[in-house]
Amino acid sequence: MTKRSVSIHVPALTRVEGEGSLRLRIEHGEIQELALDIFEPPRYFEKFLEGRRHHEVLDTVARICGICPIAYQMSAAQAIEQAFGLDPGPWVRDMRRVFYCGEWLQSHALHVHLLAAPDFLGFDSVVGMAARHPEVVRRGLRLQGLGNALIRLLGGRSVHPVGACVGGFFRAPDAAEVDDMLEQLRAALPDAHDLVLWAAALKLPQDEQAFTCVALRHDTDYPFEQGRIVSDDGLSVPIEQYEDHFIEEHRPHSTALFSLLHGAPYLVGPLARLNLNHDRLPAASLSLLRQTGMTFPSNNMFHSLLARTLEIHVAIVEAIRLLENYRRPVSPQVEVTPRAGIGCGATEAPRGLLWHRYELDDQGIVRAARIVPPTSQNQARIEADLRRSLRQFGLNRPDDKLRLRAETVIRNYDPCISCATHFLKIGVTRR
Amino acid sequence: MGKPSIAVHKFSSCDGCQLAFLNAGEELLNLAELVDIKHFLEAGVADEYAHVDIAFVEGSISTTDELTRIQRVRACSRYVVTLGACATAGGLQALRNLDGSNTEWKHAIYAHPGFIHTLDQAEPVSAHIKVDFELWGCPVNGRQVLAAVQQLLFGVAPLEQRDKVCMECKRQHASCVMVTAGRPCLGPVTRTGCGALCPRFGRDCYACFGPAGNANTAALSRRLEGLGLTPADVARRFLFINNHAPSFNEAGKKHYRQGFSDD
């Protein structure tokens, strides 16, 4: 074993959303220190939600994340409706799924092509990759654009959409808009199909490891906005019991809190969803998955990329199914009558389970709020993965290779923090 | 002469305004042909203090580290352009400035508040450095951003849109949600840029593009009270996405009591 002492500091991770860095110190062939530092400045959303009326919450929480505002809006709407004892009915449920399909499409296509793929094809950024693989990049940008168009159908704009409200939507699209959207969705199916096969053929690192998956699970459907919280080690609880099983810890190097399930790290996101719900895939997506020859559940974390591409296919298939049965309702929203109470909401953001809890008074004013985003749930898992992946990769490899592998491992989780990679100032000390 | 260069910097924000570039599709690739992108972490390019022609800044200034970074960004950029509500007006997070809540909120959320190095105020970029051009909106509109890039590259000062949302509603033939449905719309004092999205969706504008030129907030406040809004509701309307923008801040504070209380 080498005697060298290595210290790698990636001050700003690139191709991730938000601000994070990596500290790694290796001495005498052992990892002495490893930390994914999240220094995204806190903005205190949970505090300034207090005193706001229920109808301001969706426009507020959207601003937590520009890449997955719909996830925040949907978890919040569900929680507030639960507190008010309100059921918005099947039309709203279907359209929320369609809305969510748009976000998965947009976010997954962005991550696969602009953030992750350059790692596996050997480029620094999508710009370099576009020169050598123009068709792959163009296909990805088309799918991302389609996701944005689907969001606009119900939300008006793709970042911080304005269409959703507690009780439903402000506006129902007319039949002509839906037909036009359906045409675009159907035309994109071959792109999604080819994308999955392309991802399955990519040379991804083989890195099997044990981890616990957590996701929503619904009686019949692939989970977007409904279901119980389940894990692959036997947990199955209604969303209201989240706090009985999961706790958040605050560690010194992070402005994000670390979530633990029964005291241990766990995974949320596309791979966890697919591992726990592959029997809930729409028939067309399941048959496509079979065509790849890949089987799930998988314990290779790098299969997250494949799961993400398959979920792009799921989103298109699901949006087509729901929009084919589209009927314009008399009203796109049900009437909302505030009452004092507590409500929980949990939906599957592109990056995984997003849990909200609100306490409201009889005027519908928020008195307390709690929000647990996917990335804080994955943070402990990412660190655990880094420790073993780097050991498996070989701690005596050159610094730049170690750094790239570490960044690739981190990006594979699509962490929603903020960025940094290839030009990291790295400090290397050898003894 | 080489290609003009740009950088995209992120401060305290949601990343949504950067998506004006990342969501641009083919136009992103075209832009990459026209300019040299020197720094844009989310896109995979990092050289934070490279000298550039245009630096786009997303996010407000809310930590000691960000104070240092923004000075350096100014020093190495020919033009500094703010991208969206946080960079231009402080964003939602500037709500902590209202009652000086930073310390209290930090202690409420974090078990070890000593590890959190935030400034007491979250402020717009222009509170700390000279800004050459401001793009409003939460989020900014992608077309505006790409148009501003083109205009700056041609050496023209970008055209500032200061019209009110009301003007845009008329252009779009949207019926007025305040007149027809009694909704507490902020369109009369809000700058356009969104395309009058909310009124077209049948809802009241919530001012995500910030104050328009000559915004008559006093008259609108009286109208909102006439619609039945309590003083706290009027305060909530103005003290939202662009709460730190001077005209909204002033209008909101006239009705504001700590914690948006009505007592």
Side-chain angles (χ1 to χ4, degrees):
Chain A
M1 190 51 81
T2 168
K3 290 259 178 73
R4 72 175 181 162
S5 165
V6 181
S7 145
I8 292 183
H9 179 220
V10 180
L13 292 163
T14 52
R15 283 188 276 123
V16 299
E17 287 97 10
E19 301 192 347
S21 73
L22 173 69
R23 268 181 300 135
L24 172 65
R25 192 160 52 83
I26 301 168
E27 278 176 23
H28 308 297
E30 284 299 322
I31 295 176
Q32 297 298 328
E33 185 191 13
L34 186 154
L36 175 62
D37 297 357
I38 293 191
F39 47 88
E40 180 81 22
R43 293 186 289 148
Y44 309 124
F45 274 82
E46 286 155 312
K47 293 309 285 180
F48 60 66
L49 279 163
E50 292 173 9
R52 290 279 166 182
R53 284 196 187 271
H54 66 88
H55 57 73
E56 296 170 289
V57 172
L58 269 60
D59 295 324
T60 305
V61 296
R63 270 70 188 184
I64 293 173
C65 176
I67 294 130
C68 57
I70 294 172
Y72 282 90
Q73 295 188 332
M74 296 298 97
S75 285
Q78 198 183 83
I80 294 168
E81 286 159 9
Q82 192 191 66
F84 292 168
L86 184 72
D87 176 7
W91 185 86
V92 171
R93 186 203 167 207
D94 285 355
M95 289 308 109
R96 282 182 177 166
R97 271 179 89 81
V98 171
F99 202 30
Y100 230 132
C101 286
E103 182 155 286
W104 278 22
L105 250 177
Q106 169 269 126
S107 174
H108 283 354
L110 169 75
H111 182 262
V112 169
H113 298 91
L114 274 63
L115 312 185
D119 282 334
F120 303 116
L121 295 174
F123 296 90
D124 281 347
S125 78
V126 69
V127 173
M129 197 172 87
R132 288 285 304 281
H133 302 274
E135 285 319 308
V136 170
V137 171
R138 292 216 156 82
R139 181 176 66 205
L141 295 176
R142 280 198 299 274
L143 288 165
Q144 185 191 0
L146 178 70
N148 286 324
L150 188 54
I151 296 171
R152 282 196 298 273
L153 176 74
L154 287 152
R157 64 183 173 200
S158 67
V159 180
H160 307 330
V162 303
C165 58
V166 176
F169 287 88
F170 284 104
R171 175 183 177 274
D174 61 35
E177 291 171 276
V178 170
D179 286 346
D180 177 60
M181 193 68 239
L182 268 171
E183 203 172 302
Q184 293 181 53
L185 287 163
R186 290 191 188 109
L189 269 177
D191 272 352
H193 180 271
D194 295 349
L195 172 66
V196 172
L197 297 181
W198 169 84
L202 273 182
K203 266 198 165 161
L204 300 173
Q206 279 301 320
D207 191 15
E208 317 278 316
Q209 53 186 306
F211 50 84
T212 302
C213 295
V214 170
L216 290 181
R217 181 164 168 87
H218 183 261
D219 290 343
T220 50
D221 299 336
Y222 199 76
F224 283 83
E225 81 308 349
Q226 278 187 345
R228 292 165 70 82
I229 298 172
V230 305
S231 80
D232 50 10
D233 56 8
L235 181 81
S236 174
V237 294
I239 62 168
E240 297 76 27
Q241 289 175 20
Y242 178 87
E243 287 173 307
D244 298 340
H245 300 274
F246 298 82
I247 55 138
E248 283 184 306
E249 264 182 22
H250 183 208
R251 297 185 192 170
H253 58 270
S254 181
T255 54
L257 302 173
F258 280 67
S259 296
L260 300 170
L261 164 61
H262 302 149
Y266 61 98
L267 175 75
V268 297
L271 183 61
R273 275 196 296 264
L274 186 57
N275 277 348
L276 290 164
N277 291 284
H278 51 91
D279 57 343
R280 297 285 186 267
L281 286 169
S285 306
L286 185 63
S287 107
L288 176 59
L289 179 61
R290 291 212 174 105
Q291 214 178 312
T292 65
M294 313 281 258
T295 51
F296 286 86
S298 162
N299 58 1
N300 181 357
M301 257 317 297
F302 287 105
H303 283 162
S304 297
L305 182 89
L306 183 69
R308 227 166 255 126
T309 60
L310 191 70
E311 287 191 340
I312 286 176
H313 191 265
V314 171
I316 295 176
V317 168
E318 186 66 1
I320 291 175
R321 177 182 75 84
L322 292 163
L323 290 179
E324 274 176 343
N325 298 313
Y326 184 80
R327 283 216 178 83
R328 206 167 190 211
V330 179
S331 168
Q333 53 182 287
V334 294
E335 201 180 324
V336 178
T337 313
R339 70 176 196 203
I342 293 173
C344 298
T347 65
E348 285 288 346
R351 288 161 194 78
L353 185 68
L354 170 60
W355 189 85
H356 289 215
R357 176 185 180 278
Y358 297 91
E359 198 177 320
L360 298 120
D361 69 13
D362 55 2
Q363 300 297 301
I365 293 175
V366 177
R367 291 302 166 204
R370 190 172 167 220
I371 295 170
V372 185
T375 295
S376 72
Q377 301 183 72
N378 274 341
Q379 204 177 341
R381 170 90 267 279
I382 298 175
E383 288 193 0
D385 187 350
L386 278 168
R387 274 178 193 282
R388 60 156 308 293
S389 296
L390 293 179
R391 223 176 272 133
Q392 151 107 4
F393 182 65
L395 295 177
N396 50 1
R397 298 233 198 172
D399 297 344
D400 55 340
K401 295 263 194 273
L402 267 180
R403 193 190 60 215
L404 177 62
R405 174 52 71 102
E407 289 171 353
T408 304
V409 167
I410 295 168
R411 278 196 287 265
N412 185 45
Y413 289 82
D414 192 8
C416 199
I417 36 168
S418 208
C419 325
T421 321
H422 298 228
F423 4 68
L424 314 168
K425 284 177 218 142
I426 71 162
V428 184
T429 4
R430 290 167 199 279
R431 280 209 288 253
Chain B
M1 200 179 101
K3 285 200 277 190
S5 52
I6 70 165
V8 179
H9 297 272
K10 178 194 150 68
F11 289 78
S12 297
S13 65
C14 76
D15 282 38
C17 287
Q18 300 176 40
L19 288 180
F21 294 103
L22 297 179
N23 268 337
E26 288 278 331
E27 291 207 54
L28 173 65
L29 302 182
N30 296 340
L31 181 69
E33 299 275 308
L34 289 174
V35 301
D36 195 358
I37 303 175
K38 295 275 199 189
H39 176 79
F40 188 173
L41 287 180
E42 193 166 339
V45 191
D47 187 359
E48 187 164 11
Y49 302 117
H51 281 264
V52 295
D53 294 303
I54 313 172
F56 289 94
V57 178
E58 175 193 273
S60 57
I61 307 304
S62 80
T63 66
T64 42
D65 169 60
E66 288 183 337
L67 263 178
T68 317
R69 279 177 56 214
I70 196 66
Q71 305 286 354
R72 294 187 62 182
V73 166
R74 178 69 266 184
C76 60
S77 314
R78 190 164 154 224
Y79 299 114
V80 171
V81 178
T82 57
L83 208 56
C86 295
T88 307
L92 259 179
Q93 56 272 19
L95 284 168
R96 75 170 182 245
N97 309 352
L98 272 180
D99 297 316
S101 306
N102 180 46
T103 306
E104 185 197 330
W105 290 359
K106 184 158 60 178
H107 282 76
I109 292 181
Y110 293 101
H112 309 290
F115 303 147
I116 308 293
H117 305 289
T118 46
L119 296 168
D120 282 339
Q121 305 247 322
E123 291 188 305
V125 172
S126 63
H128 300 285
I129 61 163
K130 174 177 171 275
V131 170
D132 299 290
F133 190 68
E134 293 178 328
L135 287 168
W136 290 81
C138 181
V140 287
N141 170 331
R143 287 190 309 279
Q144 272 184 332
V145 175
L146 295 175
V149 175
Q150 300 270 1
Q151 287 160 336
L152 284 169
L153 293 181
F154 281 114
V156 185
L159 194 64
E160 195 185 4
Q161 297 184 344
R162 304 176 74 228
D163 272 3
K164 299 172 177 75
V165 170
C166 290
M167 304 288 282
E168 187 63 24
C169 267
K170 305 300 172 286
R171 290 184 201 116
Q172 304 256 357
H173 304 286
S175 58
C176 177
V177 293
M178 183 182 271
V179 171
T180 62
R183 285 189 162 271
C185 187
L186 291 189
V189 296
T190 301
R191 117 180 4 225
T192 186
C194 62
L197 265 187
C198 286
R200 289 199 288 121
F201 269 63
R203 65 176 293 195
D204 36 298
C205 162
Y206 59 93
C208 66
F209 270 71
N214 303 316
N216 189 343
T217 52
L220 183 66
S221 298
R222 284 194 297 278
R223 182 76 191 98
L224 294 177
E225 287 182 305
L227 289 169
L229 269 64
T230 66
D233 283 331
V234 175
R236 285 187 190 96
R237 297 300 285 158
F238 287 110
L239 300 175
F240 196 40
I241 308 274
N242 287 291
N243 65 82
H244 200 73
S247 72
F248 285 180
N249 194 263
E250 197 183 307
K253 276 186 173 163
K254 282 187 184 142
H255 298 85
Y256 177 75
R257 292 190 186 190
Q258 190 158 2
F260 291 101
S261 151
D262 261 320
D263 310 325

